[in-house]
């Protein structure tokens, strides 16, 4: 036995069954109508809108006036120097295990106008005799020191 077909007297005619294909077509038309309505109807009529992400404000820093300084580190002595460490361009530390004297390092340091700059060189005197360090900024000697003891670590700094 099977399930008897649905019959609508009057509309489908007496004793006439509606085909399954026409039901599928009707459901397809309804689904298409819902999809089109979802895109056509303005967002405000569909309920509250979700918060959209807001782009962060871009802050442009003010221009900073810069200045440059010519810097020379010098080591002078009869027997070289060991463990030489100095603050170079950009305040980066530079090191040498051993150098022959006279020795110098020259660079340009650029920074904001009015900023206090730090200059430093340290070395060990291998001896015997004097070892002298000197820092020259823009042609002016700003620090100078001499050590006579062999094996002694010392520094010039500003």
């Amino acid at each position: 036995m099977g399930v008897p077909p649905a019959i609508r007297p009057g509309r489908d005619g007496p004793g006439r069954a509606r085909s399954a294909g026409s039901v599928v077509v009707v459901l397809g038309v309804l689904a298409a109508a819902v999809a089109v309505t979802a895109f056509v109807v303005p967002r405000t009529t569909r309920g509250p809108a979700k918060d959209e992400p807001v782009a962060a404000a871009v802050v442009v820093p003010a221009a900073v006036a810069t200045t440059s300084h010519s810097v020379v580190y010098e080591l002078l002595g009869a027997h070289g120097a060991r463990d030489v460490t100095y603050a170079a361009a950009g305040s980066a530390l530079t090191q040498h295990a051993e150098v022959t004297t006279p020795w110098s390092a020259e660079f340009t340091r650029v920074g904001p106008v009015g900023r206090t700059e730090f200059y430093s060189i340290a070395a060990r005197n291998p001896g015997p005799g004097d070892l002298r360090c000197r820092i020259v900024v823009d042609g002016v000697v700003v620090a100078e020191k001499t050590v006579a003891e062999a094996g002694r670590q010392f520094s010039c700094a500003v």
Side-chain angles (χ1 to χ4, degrees), residues 32-47:
V34 168
V36 169
T37 303
F39 286 105
V40 173
V41 175
R43 186 175 198 60
T44 57
T45 62
R46 287 191 261 156

Side-chain angles (χ1 to χ4, degrees), residues 71-153:
V71 181
V72 179
Y73 292 131
E74 297 176 337
L75 291 172
L76 306 164
H79 299 286
R82 293 192 178 130
D83 305 326
V84 177
T85 303
Y86 58 95
S91 298
L93 286 180
T94 302
Q95 296 181 313
H96 300 285
E98 191 169 352
V99 298
T100 57
T101 51
W103 172 91
S104 67
E106 197 170 332
F107 59 91
T108 300
R109 187 176 290 171
V110 178
V113 171
R115 179 176 79 180
T116 302
E117 294 289 335
F118 175 72
Y119 305 103
S120 173
I121 182 168
R124 182 174 309 279
N125 183 7
D130 290 349
L131 179 62
R132 182 172 59 177
C133 65
R134 185 164 51 191
I135 301 173
V136 181
V137 178
D138 297 330
V140 176
V141 175
V142 295
E144 188 169 22
K145 191 172 189 179
T146 301
V147 67
E149 292 177 46
R152 175 127 189 241
Q153 180 81 26

Side-chain angles (χ1 to χ4, degrees), residues 16-28:
R16 206 166 148 201
R18 178 174 284 170
S19 69
S22 62
V23 172
V24 170
V25 169
V26 170
L27 289 176

